[in-house]
Amino acid sequence: MEDYLKAIYELSSVQPRVSTSQVAEWMKCTPASVTNMLQKLSGLKLVDYTPYQGVELTQAGTKIALSVLRHHRLIELYLEEVLGYSWDQVHEEADQLEHVISEEFEARIDRALGHPKKDPHGAPIPAKDGTLPEERLTNLWDAVQKVELTIARVEDKDSEALRYLAAMGLLPGVRLSIIKKAPFSGPVHVRVGAEEHTLSETLARKIHVTESV
Amino acid sequence: MEDYLKAIYELSSVQPRVSTSQVAEWMKCTPASVTNMLQKLSGLKLVDYTPYQGVELTQAGTKIALSVLRHHRLIELYLEEVLGYSWDQVHEEADQLEHVISEEFEARIDRALGHPKKDPHGAPIPAKDGTLPEERLTNLWDAVQKVELTIARVEDKDSEALRYLAAMGLLPGVRLSIIKKAPFSGPVHVRVGAEEHTLSETLARKIHVTESV
DNA sequence: ATTCGAATTTAGCCTCGGCTTATTTTCACT
DNA sequence: AGTGAAAATAAGCCGAGGCTAAATTCGAAT
């Protein structure tokens, strides 16, 4: 259930209303399973669901989703900072722990980390009160050819990809520029410091950037 | 399931073979539920179960029980040492986390703690290879009137009791002596440093001691 | 040796939080 | 208005438990 709420929350960042099949794809299950769960969540008033019209979180649902997300991101950061995990290892462990830790635990790791604002992948950590500064980011694929871009955030689901990106030095906070993008979905060439790298569309879409200040 | 194995393990320290009703009482459920579970565990070869004759862990079952126990105790210690929990708070949190953490996590907190041998309540932490030094302890209630006793271990289930004991300074490692024990299940009077305290049977039975060296 | 009561098991059924396939419905676009 | 895709139902399964009520078995005392 918490995973469904999280999924709906994350998908909502693009369009406010999320379709059954989007959730199904995200959760890697069949649309029928999703419909089923949406009905349950709707009964619990965690979700505003109209058949055939997609779904949206209610306030209660948003609250839970944000709290799970907060857990997840705090745990990720804690695992990296304190326990020395590499950034591609943290996601899976956090996915388990996020549902289990108490508020006490959350508060304590938050304090131990000095009330951090970002997780290891650059994702903002929701505050306890449900505040979450939503930055409007472009992904590297859709970014126009700018002189200077800064990596703000990297999607954390795919640890393979994370390892690969880390090896190239493509971490949050790093500056880069697009050298050129080949036409017809060709790869994108970027310069990072002195090095140049070629990124596929899939990979480039996982990287979210802002214009450098 | 893991909780059942843990329960059987802990009950086995007294008698090798554990009865259905003992497990039921420990797990706070009905004997029928236990029988049910024992049959499942028996099917999984985790338990050696003969109807009406009680139950015993197999090697595989012991291995799981010890691993869960190791998780539990490492987590308890970590929560206390690193995150600043008080010793009466750690048990509940550990009960949740113990089933969820990865071997990676276990290894990392074990290292962070310097491969500790005891948890905050004085219970030995099983080694990764399943080794567990079993000390033969007496509980304070049954202890003979000795000049000097040392608290080796305190039962961790009841956080009320733990708070009370901590307030009196009755912690593992502390030396004490029995002043007198009133007859007919009367309370036991102990001296701890300069102070004297009176302990009920229930409480005294939660405290395990060794003769001081 | 038989009986009797307590411990235990069996039978039957429930819950939660999921999952699936196969079929039907609905929506939106041509 | 018709059609194809998306979504919803229907029906059923799973694991990992839980319960009560009734039957059984064990062992201890007579």
Side-chain angles (χ1 to χ4, degrees):
Chain A
M1 268 179 45
E2 289 185 344
D3 282 332
Y4 273 93
L5 295 173
K6 221 177 43 162
I8 296 166
Y9 182 88
E10 302 211 39
L11 290 165
S12 296
S13 62
V14 193
Q15 313 114 20
R17 210 140 183 117
V18 179
S19 77
T20 301
S21 43
Q22 285 175 309
V23 178
E25 198 189 347
W26 188 275
M27 295 289 293
K28 282 165 187 170
C29 66
T30 60
S33 308
V34 175
T35 300
N36 208 279
M37 179 83 314
L38 293 185
Q39 287 164 346
K40 278 182 198 171
L41 291 173
S42 184
L44 294 168
K45 307 275 186 201
L46 296 175
V47 123
D48 172 14
Y49 169 59
T50 318
Y52 299 103
Q53 306 303 317
V55 71
E56 210 171 334
L57 294 175
T58 61
Q59 275 213 307
T62 307
K63 204 174 148 193
I64 295 178
L66 281 173
S67 126
V68 176
L69 218 52
R70 175 171 161 81
H71 286 181
H72 183 92
R73 293 180 178 165
L74 280 173
I75 291 165
E76 281 197 345
L77 189 61
Y78 190 85
L79 293 176
E80 199 205 33
E81 294 268 291
V82 180
L83 289 175
Y85 277 66
S86 63
W87 82 333
D88 57 288
Q89 291 180 303
V90 297
H91 184 71
E92 286 180 24
E93 188 93 45
D95 257 351
Q96 294 298 119
L97 291 171
E98 65 187 8
H99 307 295
V100 156
I101 68 170
S102 67
E103 295 304 294
E104 179 76 26
F105 190 90
E106 176 202 297
R108 285 187 187 266
I109 63 176
D110 183 43
R111 214 175 63 206
L113 292 167
H115 310 290
K117 297 274 176 292
K118 297 281 173 79
D119 82 1
H121 310 104
I125 297 172
K128 243 175 305 229
D129 60 20
T131 316
L132 181 60
E134 266 308 346
E135 318 119 51
R136 218 165 302 287
L137 302 173
T138 329
N139 70 65
L140 184 56
W141 184 254
D142 295 328
V144 216
Q145 230 163 296
K146 292 275 179 188
V147 181
E148 276 278 277
L149 296 169
T150 304
I151 300 180
R153 187 172 163 183
V154 174
E155 277 169 33
D156 65 350
K157 307 277 172 291
D158 180 349
S159 66
E160 279 277 12
L162 288 176
R163 269 194 297 281
Y164 183 57
L165 291 174
M168 293 188 294
L170 294 172
L171 307 170
V174 166
R175 280 150 186 263
L176 55 75
S177 55
I178 300 179
I179 300 167
K180 76 163 197 254
K181 191 168 129 188
F184 299 110
S185 298
V188 55
H189 297 261
V190 297
R191 186 196 321 281
V192 190
E195 292 173 48
E196 289 187 17
H197 296 290
T198 310
L199 306 173
S200 70
E201 174 172 355
T202 353
L203 205 53
R205 282 197 185 282
K206 290 183 196 293
I207 301 170
H208 301 266
V209 295
T210 51
E211 284 184 41
S212 290
V213 197
Chain B
M1 268 179 44
E2 289 185 342
D3 282 333
Y4 273 94
L5 294 174
K6 222 178 41 162
I8 296 166
Y9 183 88
E10 302 212 39
L11 290 166
S12 296
S13 63
V14 193
Q15 312 115 17
R17 210 140 183 116
V18 179
S19 76
T20 301
S21 45
Q22 284 175 310
V23 178
E25 196 190 349
W26 188 277
M27 296 290 293
K28 282 166 187 169
C29 66
T30 60
S33 305
V34 175
T35 301
N36 208 277
M37 179 82 311
L38 293 185
Q39 286 164 348
K40 280 181 196 170
L41 291 174
S42 183
L44 294 168
K45 307 274 184 200
L46 297 175
V47 123
D48 172 14
Y49 168 60
T50 318
Y52 299 102
Q53 306 303 317
V55 71
E56 208 171 335
L57 294 177
T58 61
Q59 275 213 306
T62 307
K63 204 174 147 193
I64 295 179
L66 281 173
S67 127
V68 175
L69 217 53
R70 174 169 161 83
H71 287 182
H72 184 93
R73 292 179 180 166
L74 279 173
I75 291 165
E76 281 196 346
L77 188 61
Y78 190 86
L79 293 176
E80 198 205 33
E81 293 268 291
V82 181
L83 289 175
Y85 277 66
S86 65
W87 81 334
D88 57 290
Q89 291 180 303
V90 298
H91 183 72
E92 286 180 23
E93 189 94 44
D95 257 350
Q96 294 298 119
L97 290 171
E98 65 187 9
H99 306 296
V100 156
I101 67 170
S102 66
E103 294 305 294
E104 179 76 27
F105 190 90
E106 176 202 296
R108 285 186 187 268
I109 64 176
D110 182 43
R111 215 175 60 205
L113 293 166
H115 310 290
K117 297 273 175 294
K118 296 281 175 81
D119 82 0
H121 310 104
I125 298 172
K128 245 179 303 234
D129 60 21
T131 316
L132 182 60
E134 268 307 347
E135 317 119 51
R136 219 165 302 287
L137 301 173
T138 330
N139 71 64
L140 185 54
W141 184 254
D142 295 327
V144 216
Q145 230 163 296
K146 292 274 177 188
V147 181
E148 275 278 276
L149 296 169
T150 304
I151 300 180
R153 188 170 162 183
V154 174
E155 277 167 35
D156 64 351
K157 307 277 173 292
D158 180 350
S159 65
E160 278 278 10
L162 288 176
R163 269 195 298 282
Y164 183 57
L165 290 174
M168 294 188 293
L170 294 172
L171 307 169
V174 166
R175 278 150 187 266
L176 55 74
S177 54
I178 300 179
I179 301 167
K180 75 159 197 261
K181 191 168 129 189
F184 300 110
S185 300
V188 54
H189 297 261
V190 298
R191 185 196 321 282
V192 189
E195 293 172 48
E196 289 186 18
H197 297 290
T198 310
L199 306 174
S200 69
E201 174 172 357
T202 354
L203 205 52
R205 281 196 186 280
K206 290 184 197 292
I207 301 171
H208 301 268
V209 296
T210 51
E211 283 184 43
S212 290
V213 196

